[in-house]
Amino acid sequence: MNDMSSRSHAVFIIIVEQMTVLDDSGADDAPNQIRVGKLNLVDLAGSERVRVTGATGKRLEESKKINASLSCLGNVISALTDSKGRPHIPYRDSKLTRLLEDSLGGNCKTTMMAMVSPNWEAFSESHSTLKFATRAKKIKNEARINEDVDQRTLLRKYEIELKKLKQELQEKNQKAGDY
């Protein structure tokens, strides 16, 4: 066990919203388009083997909580990568998995970095970390742009799409008449 370790997970969440005014008229009620992005930066504490570290008291309790949350995270990853496709993903079993729900199986692009040690004494922990990372790597998310548009903007968008489709249909009808 590293004496300088904070023995905790660190989660830093940044949510960015971009609002674009779609009408150049300058009116207060002009239609808007809002895009939302979310960035989760997570540093997970490593699991700790109490028998090896000899932790007692407060450190023992910290180790138990860290191991419990990592176990819940492992259960979520197992459920997401199960080839049979489980109907229930246990996100609510820990605060950590609840916070990372979008990153784990939602609408996010996710990158994971696993830190391992070259020391022979840390072989078991490094091997466990690499197995965990291999399972997490199997999660497939399909990220898409998060847009929120008001009703008038949506109606205008559909009108433009309808106009394009009518024009395409007219062009195809003209080409069909040329033959």
Side-chain angles (χ1 to χ4, degrees):
M1 182 183 304
N2 181 353
D3 290 334
M4 301 305 288
S5 172
S6 65
R7 288 174 189 72
S8 64
H9 304 306
V11 180
F12 184 67
I13 300 172
I14 300 172
I15 298 174
V16 179
E17 293 185 7
Q18 175 189 22
M19 184 171 72
T20 306
V21 178
L22 299 174
D23 189 2
D24 293 338
S25 67
D28 287 340
D29 61 344
N32 298 324
Q33 176 185 39
I34 300 172
R35 290 184 177 184
V36 181
K38 183 177 180 182
L39 175 66
N40 292 327
L41 300 173
V42 182
D43 179 17
L44 298 176
S47 64
E48 299 185 5
R49 300 177 198 274
V50 176
R51 279 180 265 147
V52 174
T53 61
T56 58
K58 186 177 178 185
R59 291 219 171 139
L60 176 63
E61 293 305 313
E62 290 172 346
S63 295
K64 286 180 187 177
K65 290 179 181 178
I66 289 168
N67 291 343
S69 66
L70 290 173
S71 177
C72 291
L73 180 59
N75 291 341
V76 167
I77 290 172
S78 292
L80 288 168
T81 58
D82 189 0
S83 60
K84 298 172 190 167
R86 294 191 195 173
H88 173 70
I89 309 298
Y91 291 116
R92 293 185 178 185
D93 289 355
S94 95
K95 291 177 186 176
L96 177 66
T97 54
R98 189 73 175 132
L99 280 172
L100 300 178
E101 186 174 350
D102 286 341
S103 295
L104 293 170
N107 182 29
C108 291
K109 291 184 181 181
T110 303
T111 301
M112 180 179 177
M113 293 183 282
M115 304 304 155
V116 295
S117 174
N119 282 341
W120 179 250
E121 292 82 22
F123 175 78
S124 176
E125 287 81 7
S126 294
H127 187 253
S128 175
T129 298
L130 291 172
K131 287 191 333 188
F132 179 82
T134 301
R135 284 189 313 166
K137 184 178 167 182
K138 294 178 182 175
I139 297 173
K140 301 292 181 214
N141 289 347
E142 294 181 24
R144 57 181 165 63
I145 295 174
N146 296 321
E147 288 183 318
D148 184 21
V149 292
D150 59 14
Q151 294 297 324
R152 286 182 298 136
T153 306
L154 199 56
L155 183 60
R156 184 172 288 124
K157 181 179 173 183
Y158 289 143
E159 287 172 348
I160 292 169
E161 187 175 343
L162 186 60
K163 196 178 202 179
K164 277 186 200 175
L165 290 172
K166 283 180 180 179
Q167 185 177 358
E168 282 179 32
L169 184 61
Q170 186 178 18
E171 288 172 4
K172 286 188 181 194
N173 285 339
Q174 284 177 351
K175 285 182 182 179
D178 292 343
Y179 292 111

